Amino acid sequence: MSKKNNLAKRKKQHEFDLRREKLEKEKKEKKLTTKKNKMKVDGSDKAKKRGGSGFQVGKRKVKTKLTAVAKAKAAQAMELDK
């Protein structure tokens, strides 16, 4: 028998491949679940936020609330005016 056709070797290789695929699958699942957990958002919060943060203009959403940086810049501009 040739080296390639050795039944014991093929069986070991097959088992090794199966084990490796199983580990990769578990790793991928774990990564996916952690990603899902990060992205999880409570549905009630989403309903409350909907109208307050901005409004739709065409395909873009226009924000009406100021960010922290914008607020700081506005406050600094107000101080300069005084």
Side-chain angles (χ1 to χ4, degrees):
M1 267 193 173
S2 69
K3 285 184 180 179
K4 288 182 184 177
N5 223 3
N6 191 351
L7 188 61
K9 216 172 201 179
R10 281 193 299 168
K11 189 176 181 184
K12 280 184 183 178
Q13 186 63 40
H14 179 67
E15 288 173 359
F16 176 77
D17 289 339
L18 288 177
R19 204 173 328 122
R20 187 174 52 190
E21 286 175 11
K22 187 179 177 185
L23 287 172
E24 284 178 12
K25 192 175 182 183
E26 287 175 2
K27 198 174 184 182
K28 203 176 236 185
E29 263 183 39
K30 192 182 258 188
K31 207 174 197 180
L32 190 68
T33 53
T34 54
K35 203 172 193 181
K36 278 185 182 177
N37 288 339
K38 276 185 182 177
M39 293 183 355
K40 238 180 223 179
V41 179
D42 192 14
S44 60
D45 292 341
K46 203 172 191 181
K48 289 177 190 173
K49 280 187 172 181
R50 192 132 187 130
S53 63
F55 55 93
Q56 198 83 18
V57 177
K59 289 185 180 179
R60 293 177 70 197
K61 190 171 187 179
V62 178
K63 290 187 178 181
T64 54
K65 286 189 178 179
L66 290 174
T67 61
V69 175
K71 282 182 186 177
K73 283 183 179 178
Q76 194 176 27
M78 293 290 245
E79 285 178 18
L80 292 175
D81 290 342
K82 289 180 184 178

